[in-house]
Amino acid sequence: MDLGTYGYPTAARKKVDPYYDVPEGVDIRGRYDEEFAKILTKDALKFVAELQREFRNHIKYALECRKEAKNKYNEGALPGFDPATRYIREGNWVCAPVPPAVADRKVEITGPVERKMVINALNSGAKVFMADFEDALSPTWENLMRGQVNLRDAVNGTISFQDKGRNRVYKLNNQTAKLFVRPRGWHLPEAHILIDGEPATGCLVDFGLYFHHNYSTFRRTQGDGFGPFFYLPKMEHSREAKIWNNVFEKAEKVAGIERGSIRATVLIETLPAVFQMDEILYELKDHSVGLNCGRWDYIFSYVKTFQAHPDRLLPDRVQVGMTQHFMKSYSDLLIRTCHRRGVHAMGGMAAQIPIKDDPVANEAALELVRKDKLREVKAGHDGTWAAHPGLIPACMEIFNANMGNAPNQINTMKRQDAASLTEEDLLQIPRGARTIEGLRLNTRVGIQYVAAWLTGAGSVPLYNLMEDAATAEISRVQNWQWLKYGVELNGDGLGVRVTKEIFGRVVEEEMARIEKEVGTERFKKGMYKEACKIFTRQCTTPTLDDFLTLDAYNHIVIHHPREPSKL
């Protein structure tokens, strides 16, 4: 097929006008938009294509290694520390010093790259805003491209938003949070951009477009000569961190900025990665600014890693908190590792959202947040995450009260006691009961999240918590695990085992409850039935899918000129 100069088949091009001007080998299948065209410039696409061509084989190899590791765990092996890299774990090296612009990260707010959200988050009083192309965003073409436009305007300081319904204009304050950007994980493709005939790697698109358009302004206005700053998700091994390090070095070289300008925090949100924390920091030595406890994904990863181990069944997800021994051990070892290497150890997410119509329930929820943050700061974390601006004063108060004027605890909380943590500590099976209510909650949350995701929302308030892809993943894999092993619901005193029949009944009843809660009209208009099909299939499939979003992604890919998705 002749793709012509402009990335559309020649026959189709007559009908599609205007079009994106693309470099050779790049084909854009996403809808044309004048604003998007300012992001998808020929130079920006050339940069993304260079990254894709240089690193695609390394990425494919890393993903193959993930499969091999999964096969080993499925055959009974346990993840652990790698004897071959003991010299890294025992060495006395440190990472490059933390840039002054981001020395203080006491409270970070996270959210999707939606325009109003970006303004509110930057104005929220948090030290950092992590703008998310990953778990809090449904990766539709519109969301991704508008997100790039929004971040460009935010970096330029020109972003504004007119809310006609409220007759209000949102603009940036003089003081704003520092911007970090989280691209997608290595495993997610970008099916609207083809490079040499195959879908681009999602994270290289997110990183490449943002870096190309914003690095010079960012370094001047936000980074004090450093940056841009990133969060890196879903890694399982230091070889994946090495690819990111090489991507950063190439970007710095292309831009003509000094090595070590770009800085990134890695989310430790997979079980295999907890045994690779030193190695991950070592690979990103000049580009690292710490690690973060991505605790929801971490719980998901625990189930996924042990999917073939019937002796490692989780209790209800609400019981798997940071006081469970394996979670506390993970947090303690992360703090020790980061502070030993001179970088930030960031705490986990407070997912609560203010309960406006019930002051008593709201105060109870805030008290839970305070307790969690007090635990984090006393353990030695340098900062924490919040999902809603309403939580920031409470989180900030706890961190300020316990840290005083110090920007972080890197030099004061070394946590030598955590040096004795073993593989057994990090793998200990969580304790607690399994209940029918746990199965119901997983099902109700999972279906509603997928329904929202299919209609373009990746961050969804449900039952006074902000749910994203990570919490939906816990719901899915826990249901799958309980079904696969026919677990006994031991918390109800009835001894009922989870079967396909019981799950089918739960799905039916929860769908009726969802319809009642959201209203029949919204239920009919929404994609609840499609979501139910996807979620139910993923809970009952004999082989566990690696990611909920990989399967669901095919449902949101829209090619222009219209062709069915062929992922």
Side-chain angles (χ1 to χ4, degrees):
M1 184 192 282
D2 173 19
L3 288 181
T5 320
Y6 301 106
Y8 281 113
T10 312
R13 206 171 71 227
K14 289 167 191 160
K15 294 178 232 161
V16 181
D17 193 45
Y19 39 73
Y20 296 106
D21 186 7
V22 298
E24 200 175 330
V26 176
D27 181 16
I28 295 187
R29 298 286 181 83
R31 181 181 75 81
Y32 180 86
D33 181 282
E34 272 181 42
E35 275 297 302
F36 300 175
K38 292 172 191 166
I39 297 295
L40 296 163
T41 60
K42 200 167 187 174
D43 283 348
L45 289 167
K46 190 167 169 263
F47 176 58
V48 171
E50 279 175 23
L51 293 177
Q52 176 79 11
R53 286 169 184 144
E54 186 163 336
F55 297 110
R56 66 180 149 207
N57 289 337
H58 298 273
I59 296 164
K60 283 176 184 171
Y61 175 70
L63 294 178
E64 277 305 311
C65 290
R66 280 189 189 181
K67 277 185 198 162
E68 271 178 40
K70 179 171 83 170
N71 292 339
K72 272 193 219 155
Y73 304 143
N74 285 351
E75 284 160 14
L78 302 177
F81 296 107
D82 184 352
T85 49
R86 176 180 280 167
Y87 71 98
I88 293 175
R89 291 192 299 280
E90 293 178 357
N92 283 327
W93 53 273
V94 289
C95 295
V98 171
V102 288
D104 184 345
R105 297 168 64 186
K106 288 188 188 82
V107 183
E108 302 188 337
I109 188 168
T110 73
V113 286
E114 188 259 324
R115 199 163 182 90
K116 185 173 154 190
M117 171 80 207
V118 169
I119 300 168
N120 285 343
L122 288 170
N123 287 343
S124 66
K127 300 289 184 184
V128 165
F129 166 46
M130 187 204 77
D132 198 12
F133 282 103
E134 204 230 0
D135 274 1
L137 190 83
S138 169
T140 65
W141 178 246
E142 305 294 316
N143 283 349
L144 292 164
M145 290 303 115
R146 288 203 191 290
Q148 291 284 353
V149 170
N150 298 339
L151 292 187
R152 179 203 62 198
D153 294 351
V155 173
N156 288 340
T158 58
I159 189 169
S160 67
F161 175 76
Q162 187 173 9
D163 188 333
K164 286 172 184 158
R166 293 184 175 181
N167 194 22
R168 188 176 160 196
V169 175
Y170 293 78
K171 287 182 178 162
L172 291 181
N173 297 340
N174 292 333
Q175 278 292 108
T176 60
K178 290 281 187 279
L179 181 64
F180 277 59
V181 172
R182 177 163 73 170
R184 284 168 280 180
W186 288 123
H187 61 287
L188 286 166
E190 180 41 66
H192 299 97
I193 299 178
L194 302 187
I195 296 173
D196 304 330
E198 64 180 29
T201 305
C203 59
L204 296 182
V205 172
D206 302 337
F207 166 81
L209 294 176
Y210 172 72
F211 178 84
H212 177 85
H213 289 293
N214 300 294
Y215 74 87
S216 60
T217 309
F218 186 95
R219 286 157 55 73
R220 200 172 60 248
T221 58
Q222 285 213 40
D224 297 342
F226 284 93
F229 303 124
F230 295 91
Y231 255 102
L232 306 177
K234 302 281 185 291
M235 285 196 244
E236 295 188 13
H237 194 278
S238 60
R239 73 173 68 85
E240 299 172 30
K242 187 175 188 167
I243 304 172
W244 269 119
N245 197 65
N246 292 341
V247 167
F248 292 162
E249 284 184 358
K250 181 177 175 76
E252 287 162 349
K253 212 170 176 178
V254 168
I257 56 180
E258 62 275 16
R259 191 168 181 266
S261 299
I262 299 170
R263 293 301 177 93
T265 303
V266 171
L267 289 128
I268 299 299
E269 54 185 354
T270 68
L271 191 64
V274 82
F275 300 100
Q276 289 269 318
M277 292 194 291
D278 275 306
E279 292 87 334
I280 285 167
L281 288 176
Y282 186 77
E283 290 298 352
L284 282 159
K285 220 187 312 183
D286 293 333
H287 295 106
S288 177
V289 71
L291 303 175
N292 170 296
C293 280
R295 59 195 188 190
W296 308 122
D297 262 304
Y298 193 74
I299 297 165
F300 155 49
S301 177
Y302 188 95
V303 181
K304 191 163 84 165
T305 304
F306 293 129
Q307 60 185 270
H309 297 238
D311 57 328
R312 290 180 176 271
L313 302 171
L314 257 65
D316 286 4
R317 81 173 208 183
V318 294
Q319 297 180 38
V320 188
M322 294 309 292
T323 53
Q324 291 275 7
H325 185 76
F326 86 111
M327 296 294 279
K328 183 181 183 301
S329 303
Y330 142 68
S331 160
D332 289 346
L333 185 60
L334 183 141
I335 295 163
R336 178 184 188 265
T337 306
C338 288
H339 290 179
R340 194 169 160 223
R341 306 308 179 188
V343 288
H344 291 116
M346 302 304 295
M349 167 71 85
Q352 288 83 351
I353 45 184
I355 307 165
K356 288 175 182 160
D357 51 0
D358 189 340
V360 176
N362 190 51
E363 186 46 44
L366 265 179
E367 194 46 40
L368 283 177
V369 172
R370 288 189 199 103
K371 263 189 186 158
D372 184 43
K373 300 310 158 194
L374 187 61
R375 177 194 55 74
E376 286 184 330
V377 72
K378 281 188 177 299
H381 279 294
D382 302 294
T384 192
W385 271 19
H388 192 282
L391 300 180
I392 288 174
C395 297
M396 198 67 86
E397 197 183 316
I398 298 281
F399 270 80
N400 282 336
N402 285 274
M403 282 169 60
N405 295 325
N408 54 60
Q409 307 193 75
I410 293 170
N411 296 316
T412 53
M413 286 289 273
K414 291 298 187 186
R415 291 303 308 268
Q416 306 290 21
D417 56 313
S420 59
L421 286 168
T422 63
E423 291 173 351
E424 288 72 28
D425 288 310
L426 294 159
L427 297 176
Q428 194 191 87
I429 301 163
R431 298 189 164 93
R434 293 181 287 277
T435 67
I436 191 80
E437 190 38 56
L439 185 68
R440 287 186 181 285
L441 183 66
N442 284 345
T443 304
R444 197 160 67 241
V445 165
I447 290 170
Q448 287 182 88
Y449 181 79
V450 176
W453 198 90
L454 291 173
T455 53
S459 186
V460 187
L462 292 170
Y463 312 111
N464 305 317
L465 293 174
M466 194 61 84
E467 303 282 352
D468 70 3
T471 48
E473 288 287 31
I474 299 171
S475 299
R476 169 182 77 99
V477 295
Q478 183 160 59
N479 279 8
W480 180 90
Q481 184 191 51
W482 288 5
L483 272 159
K484 180 166 174 73
Y485 296 111
V487 305
E488 185 186 333
L489 298 174
N490 54 8
D492 298 322
L494 300 171
V496 173
R497 290 198 175 274
V498 179
T499 60
K500 276 196 176 176
E501 290 70 36
I502 282 179
F503 179 59
R505 201 162 72 235
V506 164
V507 168
E508 223 170 274
E509 289 167 5
E510 293 310 312
M511 282 292 275
R513 176 169 169 174
I514 292 166
E515 183 173 358
K516 199 174 164 192
E517 286 176 354
V518 304
T520 302
E521 198 179 329
R522 192 173 142 206
F523 186 82
K524 279 181 180 158
K525 280 185 186 164
M527 295 191 75
Y528 294 98
K529 285 182 178 164
E530 293 85 342
C532 182
K533 269 186 205 154
I534 293 170
F535 186 76
T536 306
R537 188 198 70 72
Q538 290 214 331
C539 292
T540 53
T541 178
T543 308
L544 182 67
D545 286 7
D546 282 344
F547 292 97
L548 170 69
T549 44
L550 259 181
D551 179 40
Y553 183 57
N554 288 306
H555 296 261
I556 61 168
V557 172
I558 299 172
H559 282 163
H560 289 260
R562 277 180 180 275
E563 282 178 26
S565 160
K566 293 192 189 70
L567 265 195

